[in-house]
Amino acid sequence: MMAMFSRQENGSAVSSGRKHAGGCTLRDLCVEDKQKVANMVMELARTTKERDEYKQQADSAEEMYQRRISKLKSQNGELVEEIVKIRKKIRQAVEVARAFQERGQQLEEELSEAKTLATKLTQERDQRGRMLRDGWQQTSPPRRQVTVVAPAWVSSVDRPQSLLVDDRVVRPESRPRQTS
């Protein structure tokens, strides 16, 4: 180990007076070696100062990066929450779209059924019209015989010109023929 040194006013290093067994003091060194030691001490002081500056810069940079990381984590958390909300809205929109699609299919089926029914009713109406035009052919259902009796005092002008028989209008001159 080396002895403790202190500086005198003229700048030369002086031994604090402790000697080590088998060691030497600054006084034992030549001027050249003393200069080397002084340069080493100056270099040590300079590197120590640089190390402290670098450590301070590193600490400052680490603190800045920690703040940045904390901010990014916070933003990430907000984004995750927003993604969850958006996914929920998308799921709801898909459910609504699916419900509209099912309702649309149901309405299409009902429309198809209505068209089929309308076609069937139109065909039945057309068939009835042909039957009426053809003079109530054999295919028509049997009709009830209705006799209209009007009092003598009712003039022929006041007598009914048609009757409602089996939900159809029948005129006296075009009464259906009775099949025996």
Side-chain angles (χ1 to χ4, degrees):
M1 284 191 142
M2 294 178 69
M4 301 290 274
F5 299 100
S6 62
R7 291 208 174 257
Q8 289 183 345
E9 290 178 22
N10 64 4
S12 62
V14 181
S15 171
S16 62
R18 290 191 245 160
K19 286 188 177 182
H20 289 76
C24 66
T25 63
L26 278 178
R27 288 184 192 172
D28 297 335
L29 298 176
C30 66
V31 175
E32 201 176 276
D33 289 340
K34 287 181 184 180
Q35 187 61 41
K36 286 180 183 178
V37 170
N39 288 342
M40 285 185 205
V41 169
M42 297 278 264
E43 182 68 21
L44 177 63
R46 186 183 62 77
T47 55
T48 302
K49 183 179 178 184
E50 286 178 0
R51 183 202 66 188
D52 290 344
E53 288 173 359
Y54 288 137
K55 183 169 177 12
Q56 186 179 11
Q57 288 175 356
D59 290 346
S60 175
E62 183 180 357
E63 184 179 317
M64 182 184 72
Y65 287 126
Q66 289 298 329
R67 283 192 304 250
R68 181 75 177 140
I69 288 171
S70 176
K71 184 177 178 182
L72 290 173
K73 284 181 179 180
S74 174
Q75 289 174 345
N76 188 38
E78 291 170 3
L79 289 174
V80 166
E81 288 176 12
E82 189 173 336
I83 288 171
V84 167
K85 289 177 184 177
I86 289 172
R87 284 183 178 168
K88 184 178 179 181
K89 287 181 181 180
I90 289 173
R91 263 188 253 114
Q92 290 173 343
V94 167
E95 289 175 10
V96 168
R98 197 172 290 138
F100 275 122
Q101 186 178 16
E102 289 173 2
R103 181 65 178 145
Q105 289 173 347
Q106 183 183 21
L107 289 174
E108 285 178 4
E109 290 171 3
E110 289 176 6
L111 178 62
S112 176
E113 290 173 4
K115 284 181 180 179
T116 303
L117 181 60
T119 302
K120 183 179 177 183
L121 290 174
T122 301
Q123 290 171 348
E124 287 178 6
R125 183 199 65 206
D126 292 346
Q127 183 180 6
R128 282 188 196 137
R130 281 190 302 271
M131 288 171 57
L132 284 173
R133 232 184 6 252
D134 295 342
W136 301 84
Q137 297 176 355
Q138 288 284 12
T139 58
S140 65
R143 305 283 182 228
R144 287 187 234 130
Q145 175 114 15
V146 176
T147 306
V148 177
V149 179
W153 55 268
V154 176
S155 70
S156 63
V157 176
D158 294 335
R159 288 194 182 141
Q161 298 297 313
S162 62
L163 297 174
L164 185 63
V165 177
D166 289 335
D167 298 329
R168 287 189 173 73
V169 175
V170 178
R171 299 191 188 285
E173 57 274 356
S174 66
R175 286 191 189 155
R177 289 174 270 172
Q178 294 295 320
T179 58
S180 318

